């Protein structure tokens, strides 16, 4: 257990880290609170990590904090072996380290790795056919979706090579019987990817049981990446993230502390 309560004042770290690290901390803390705001959190479990720019270190949540309590200063900075590289009174989730450390090590484009246990995501991950092409949300995911079979609570190091292999160069990973994972070249990109992923799963769960659903034709799915590039002129994450932060400032301010 952490020696301090999340309700206790946390000393600000802004003066102790680079401006680039502080901005990453602010974005990552915002992502944690947005996950809670959208209802994708699982108490204190699951995790989002972000690479500290220009280093091989990354930031992860202090284990025991609810996601809506995370602040920029409370995030724990660790190295590739899970060792703290900046003093912190808080522990980290070993499963979070197992999953995220291997992806950050293998994917240098993965500035952020976001993992959830959302009810919709877990439900679809347990379906034999996985995510079906029945919505526009799914069309934005399927071109870059991979699957990883369930091996337990993700605490064994020998699972890492298979996680890396199964993800490959994709942006979306469905962890069978477990949940969803996205990677992005920024916190904002990973969050937007998860929003699309979660929405695709929600549509599939809500589709009337037993109904004959229409699959999107393969040629339309094949055209989706090029069409998305047109729709998201300037980058979808850059368009959406400022508005998400404004929403968070209205509903749960304090993440940038």
């Amino acid at each position: 257990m952490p020696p301090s309560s999340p309700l206790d004042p946390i000393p600000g770290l802004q003066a102790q880290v680079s401006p680039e690290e502080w901005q990453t901390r602010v974005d990552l803390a915002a992502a944690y609170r947005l996950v809670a705001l959208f209802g994708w959190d699982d108490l204190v479990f699951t995790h989002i990590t972000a690479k500290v720019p220009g280093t091989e270190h990354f930031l992860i949540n202090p284990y025991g904090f609810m996601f809506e309590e995370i602040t920029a200063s409370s995030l724990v900075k660790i190295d590739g072996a899970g060792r703290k590289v900046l003093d912190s009174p808080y522990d980290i989730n070993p499963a979070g380290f197992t999953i995220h450390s291997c992806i950050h090590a293998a994917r240098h484009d993965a500035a952020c790795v976001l993992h959830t246990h959302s009810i919709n995501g877990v439900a679809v991950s347990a379906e034999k056919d996985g995510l079906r092409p029945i919505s526009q949300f799914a069309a934005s995911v399927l071109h870059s979706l991979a699957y990883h079979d369930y091996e337990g609570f993700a605490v064994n190091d020998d699972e890492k090579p298979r996680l890396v292999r199964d993800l490959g160069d994709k942006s979306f990973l469905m962890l069978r019987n477990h949940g969803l994972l996205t990677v992005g070249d920024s916190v904002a990109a990973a969050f937007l990817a998860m929003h699309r992923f979660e929405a695709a799963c929600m549509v599939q769960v809500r589709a009337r049981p037993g109904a004959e659903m229409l699959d999107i034709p393969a040629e339309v799915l094949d055209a989706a990446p090029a069409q998305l590039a047109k729709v998201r002129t300037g980058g979808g994450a850059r368009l959406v993230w400022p508005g998400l932060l404004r929403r968070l400032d209205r509903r749960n301010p304090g993440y940038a502390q």
Side-chain angles (χ1 to χ4, degrees):
M1 292 294 293
S4 303
S5 164
L7 299 178
D8 294 337
I10 299 169
L13 290 180
Q14 185 170 6
Q16 300 180 43
V17 302
S18 68
E20 293 80 11
E21 177 176 335
W22 183 250
Q23 185 59 57
T24 301
R25 283 176 172 273
V26 170
D27 286 341
L28 185 56
Y32 273 103
R33 294 197 183 203
L34 285 165
V35 164
L37 188 65
F38 279 86
W40 309 335
D41 53 337
D42 176 16
L43 300 177
V44 302
F45 308 104
T46 79
H47 6 266
I48 317 169
T49 53
K51 200 86 172 285
V52 177
T55 77
E56 294 304 312
H57 303 148
F58 57 94
L59 303 167
I60 193 168
N61 52 312
Y63 205 16
F65 280 38
M66 303 295 282
F67 278 22
E68 67 264 23
E69 298 170 331
I70 302 292
T71 64
S73 294
S74 68
L75 292 162
V76 183
K77 182 161 64 170
I78 57 178
D79 64 14
R83 297 180 295 251
K84 296 176 190 178
V85 295
L86 186 64
D87 186 50
S88 171
Y90 307 115
D91 295 325
I92 67 168
N93 183 343
F97 173 70
T98 299
I99 294 172
H100 292 243
S101 61
C102 65
I103 293 175
H104 281 294
R107 289 279 300 271
H108 297 294
D109 62 323
C112 180
V113 179
L114 199 166
H115 171 46
T116 65
H117 295 163
S118 68
I119 302 303
N120 296 304
V122 175
V124 175
S125 78
E127 293 187 15
K128 185 176 181 180
D129 293 335
L131 186 65
R132 293 189 55 188
I134 60 170
S135 70
Q136 183 164 280
F137 296 120
S140 69
V141 171
L142 287 167
H143 67 279
S144 192
L145 174 61
Y147 292 86
H148 175 71
D149 288 338
Y150 188 64
E151 298 187 28
F153 283 85
V155 294
N156 297 320
D157 283 345
D158 64 3
E159 187 176 358
K160 290 181 178 182
R162 292 182 291 279
L163 277 163
V164 170
R165 176 200 66 199
D166 291 343
L167 176 62
D169 62 355
K170 305 299 187 183
S171 298
F172 304 87
L173 182 65
M174 184 163 279
L175 299 157
R176 290 291 197 176
N177 311 100
H178 183 169
L180 309 179
L181 184 146
T182 60
V183 301
D185 61 5
S186 66
V187 173
F191 186 88
L192 177 60
M194 184 58 73
H195 188 277
R196 304 292 87 179
F197 206 1
E198 171 65 21
C201 291
M202 185 184 297
V203 169
Q204 187 162 322
V205 168
R206 290 188 180 186
R208 187 163 58 85
E212 185 176 355
M213 291 181 284
L214 292 173
D215 286 356
I216 296 172
E219 62 271 20
V220 177
L221 290 175
D222 290 342
Q227 293 175 348
L228 282 168
K230 291 183 179 180
V231 171
R232 298 174 181 176
T233 302
R238 289 193 295 275
L239 287 170
V240 172
W241 191 246
L244 287 169
L245 295 183
R246 291 193 298 272
R247 178 182 291 184
L248 193 58
D249 286 336
R250 291 191 296 270
R251 300 189 184 181
N252 187 10
Y255 58 91
Q257 295 177 0

